[in-house]
Structures are given as structure tokens and as C-alpha cells.
Amino acid sequence: MISCKSHNKSDGYQKIEDLRAVYSQPDPSLWPEPTIDVSVREQGFQDIGTLPEMNFPADNPYSEAKKKLGKLLFFDPRLSKSGQIACASCHNPELAWTDNITRSFGSMRRTGPRNAMTIINSGYAHELFWDGRAKDLEHQAHFPIPDSLEMDSNLEIAVSNIQNVDGYAPLFEAAFDSPTVTMDRITKAIATFERTITSRRSKFDRFINGEKDLFTDRELRGMHIFRTKAQCLNCHNTPYFSDNKYHNDGQHLYGTPDEDLGRYYMTNDLVDLGKFRTPTLREVTRTGPWFHHGHFPNLNDVLTFYNLGNPAPIQKKYTGVARDSLIPQPSPLLKPLKLNQEEIQAVIAFLETLSTRPTRVNLKDMPE
């Protein structure tokens, strides 16, 4: 257990009763000062907290009919070439809307290069995918269909497949005042459904909104360490627990068969070498394995990696050819944290308070 006694001032700790009193209210300006890099503060830092209401874009406003249509399309494998792969194949609601495997597989059981990100709270993301190739959820929904490693179809065939299902005509009529099936309408419906997939009120949300006895002492210490000594807020800030930015976390695996230069593939800008989008930490204990490659099987490994300050060595290209101009530079935000094992376990205990109960989706008969 974490001690309830005061720690040394250098640890940045206060008495547990003081921490409980100050953290169990929703105004972060009254919480202890966070430990963040000056560059983060200058970029308009926002502390963690309760998620705001979901915003729907002006050109795709919410409607119950559109959500219903999007839900059916999300689970419909007829969007794929084989008729066996749906959006839900990689984003299972009972597995925190991911698949809990290292790297997702799609058409013909072919494995993709990256771990599937959860779509929970994805409506709060500014861009989608690990490399940010999609500007919003509507845009994102276009990508899996023609991808040979995912649905392995094409947009025209996908539209035709749905158009040939008589049962969809009244659903499109209800959602768009017309039975006509288009890819634009398919993606808008799916995006509308995805924006409704948000976290339930977590233990963390309840605690900071006044249920002060809800956190254990360890969870409370973990929250404080998360905001201070562990410096997690440098990247995992805002109520979404992500800064919606891109960072080189040292996991590009440069010079190995699994090399992935991330954002650079989208921008061709050397400053983006090895950078990946910061994932949300909400539901994080249920969305493993972690990192874009899925190589970290437990959160203790994740915290240990960050605690060591990115110890990954830069290797030569596995063919033996060095490419010095393309060597990714790890983020300067990564540095040794000097957390002890007790502190690491406290942070993990806090992260567990960000997860909620699994979701079950009961589908009625799919349109025929």
C-alpha cells in the first residue's frame, strides 16, 4: 500500500488527506501545480477532467435515424469484398472497441502493420489513425474499404452491395430523406454512430466531481504522480487524456524488420520521423496490447519504458545499410523519471480508474 504519511517535499507529495480534499472537486486550477514542460505550457495546456458533450459537425448533424443506420453499417460485413469483414471485426464493443491482438488482421486473415486503436471517444480526436491520415471520422471511414489488408473491396462495389439490400432503403430514407445509397451517406452514418461511442462515467469522473471516498489511497497517489513526477501530462492532457499531437516515443523500431516511421509517411517532413498520434488513456487498461505495434503486453512494461526515458537504441537498417538522414530523433519530453516500483504501481492503479464496464451491442436482424 502507498503510505498515508507525508513524503519529502522533493517528491512533490502532500499528506493523503490534503490530496483527497483538493482533487475531489472538478476545478483543476485548484489542484496541485502540474509538472509539465515549458513547451507544453506555451502551446495552450489543458488539464485532465470530465469529457465535454460531443460536438457533431454542421455538415453531418446528429439524428437518431442516422445513428441507427450507422450502427448497422458498422457491423455489416457486406462492405467488404469477402463479405466477412466489418468495422466491428477490429473494433469489438466487448473488447473496448478494439481487438486486443498485437496487430489486426483483415481480408484472407492477412495481418496489418499496426495495432487497432479503440474508437471509444474517437469523436474527440482531431485526426484519426496512428499517423493522422484522416482529418475526421467521416474521412476515416473511407480508408478500410479499399485497403487490401482490411476489407479489400472498393468504394463503388461497397455502395453497390449495400444498395442491393432492399432493407437498407427505408433506413437511408429515414436518415437522409432519400433512399439513395452513396459512399458519402455511408461514411456520414458510420461517423455519426462512432461519435456516440463514448466512455461511461468512470471512477475518475465520479471522484473529481465530489465522491471523495471513491478513490483508494493508492489511486489517489497515482493521480498525483501522474500529474507531477511522472510528467504524463506532457502528452496525455485534456479530458480526452491526449493532446491530439504527434510525438516520437522511441518506438519507431528504426533499423529493424518492424521499422515504422509513422507520421513521416504522410507528410514527408523530416521533423515527423517516427512520430505517432498520442492515444487516449481513457479505457487504457482494456485496450492492450499497447503502442502502435502492440509489442507491450502489460502496463507495467509501458510505465517502465517511460520511466527509463526511452532507452531504445538506434540500429542500422537490418539490410546493413545505414540511412543517417532518416534517423528519427526521440522527443525531448522523454527523460528518466526515477519512479520506484511502488510509484509505478500507483500510476497503474490510477489508470484503472479511467476504464469502465464493457459494452454489449445487441443487434436486431441485419437488413435483408
Side-chain angles (χ1 to χ4, degrees):
M1 294 296 291
I2 302 295
S3 172
C4 295
K5 297 180 180 179
S6 297
H7 292 245
N8 294 331
K9 187 174 180 180
S10 61
D11 289 334
Y13 296 171
Q14 302 174 29
K15 290 182 179 180
I16 196 70
E17 56 266 29
D18 296 337
L19 291 178
R20 189 174 298 280
V22 73
Y23 276 125
S24 61
Q25 54 78 38
D27 183 357
S29 69
L30 301 179
W31 296 348
E33 185 73 13
T35 302
I36 53 176
D37 191 81
V38 63
S39 64
V40 176
R41 195 177 297 277
E42 290 173 348
Q43 292 171 10
F45 168 78
Q46 182 185 1
D47 214 324
I48 55 177
T50 303
L51 285 168
E53 290 294 317
M54 180 64 67
N55 288 322
F56 289 78
D59 64 347
N60 189 23
Y62 174 84
S63 75
E64 189 66 27
K66 200 185 298 179
K67 172 190 172 183
K68 177 182 177 181
L69 172 61
K71 176 180 178 181
L72 293 169
L73 291 167
F74 188 90
F75 286 88
D76 199 329
R78 287 171 291 194
L79 286 170
S80 69
K81 179 180 179 180
S82 67
Q84 298 179 349
I85 304 294
C87 302
S89 299
C90 295
H91 302 287
N92 186 329
E94 295 190 42
L95 300 176
W97 296 92
T98 181
D99 53 16
N100 290 160
I101 60 177
T102 302
R103 298 179 193 180
S104 301
F105 61 83
S107 180
M108 304 298 292
R109 304 290 293 187
R110 286 175 293 205
T111 302
R114 293 175 183 163
N115 178 264
M117 302 183 88
T118 180
I119 62 166
I120 298 179
N121 304 314
S122 58
Y124 296 102
H126 296 173
E127 293 166 326
L128 282 303
F129 293 107
W130 283 102
D131 52 24
R133 78 188 78 157
K135 63 183 180 180
D136 54 32
L137 284 171
E138 287 80 5
H139 189 208
Q140 183 275 334
H142 284 84
F143 284 87
I145 295 171
D147 191 312
S148 62
L149 293 176
E150 296 189 52
M151 293 184 171
D152 195 26
S153 185
N154 67 57
L155 302 183
E156 291 77 15
I157 291 176
V159 168
S160 178
N161 287 349
I162 300 302
Q163 204 163 28
N164 290 335
V165 179
D166 293 339
Y168 268 119
L171 295 169
F172 275 85
E173 177 75 48
F176 296 103
D177 297 322
S178 166
T180 303
V181 179
T182 67
M183 183 51 60
D184 181 66
R185 289 177 174 179
I186 288 174
T187 56
K188 282 183 174 178
I190 291 174
T192 297
F193 170 64
E194 289 177 329
R195 286 192 178 92
T196 69
I197 301 172
T198 56
S199 293
R200 293 186 174 101
R201 201 162 181 253
S202 68
K203 188 175 184 179
F204 162 76
D205 296 313
R206 293 166 59 196
F207 171 75
I208 66 169
N209 280 282
E211 297 186 47
K212 66 177 184 178
D213 295 325
L214 201 59
F215 266 19
T216 65
D217 290 352
R218 170 169 283 184
E219 291 164 347
L220 182 54
R221 289 289 187 200
M223 177 178 177
H224 187 60
I225 296 166
F226 179 94
R227 294 185 65 255
T228 54
K229 185 177 180 181
Q231 302 179 44
C232 304
L233 289 183
N234 277 329
C235 299
H236 295 285
N237 49 53
T238 80
Y240 179 49
F241 280 79
S242 167
D243 61 3
N244 272 307
K245 292 181 171 60
Y246 301 87
H247 301 279
N248 181 337
D249 58 7
Q251 285 298 301
H252 41 73
L253 305 182
Y254 180 87
T256 76
D258 291 322
E259 178 183 293
D260 190 338
L261 302 183
R263 181 74 171 158
Y264 171 74
Y265 296 138
M266 299 299 107
T267 67
N268 289 316
D269 190 336
L270 292 177
V271 76
D272 289 326
L273 277 170
K275 288 186 176 181
F276 295 88
R277 184 165 69 87
T278 306
T280 177
L281 293 185
R282 284 187 175 269
E283 312 295 340
V284 68
T285 58
R286 301 200 292 123
T287 57
W290 294 273
F291 289 93
H292 69 274
H293 45 51
H295 286 182
F296 282 62
N298 61 68
L299 285 176
N300 187 74
D301 289 345
V302 175
L303 267 291
T304 299
F305 167 76
Y306 283 119
N307 189 38
L308 294 173
N310 179 33
I314 293 293
Q315 302 179 35
K316 289 185 177 182
K317 182 68 175 173
Y318 57 90
T319 59
V321 179
R323 297 165 298 157
D324 293 344
S325 64
L326 289 180
I327 292 179
Q329 299 302 312
S331 169
L333 297 176
L334 295 179
K335 57 192 69 176
L337 301 174
K338 299 181 181 179
L339 300 175
N340 60 42
Q341 190 58 37
E342 187 178 43
E343 290 168 325
I344 288 175
Q345 294 307 310
V347 172
I348 292 174
F350 167 65
L351 293 177
E352 290 171 349
T353 73
L354 303 178
S355 293
T356 59
R357 299 189 312 276
T359 299
R360 289 188 176 182
V361 175
N362 296 316
L363 284 177
K364 295 182 180 179
D365 293 338
M366 295 294 289
E368 299 290 345

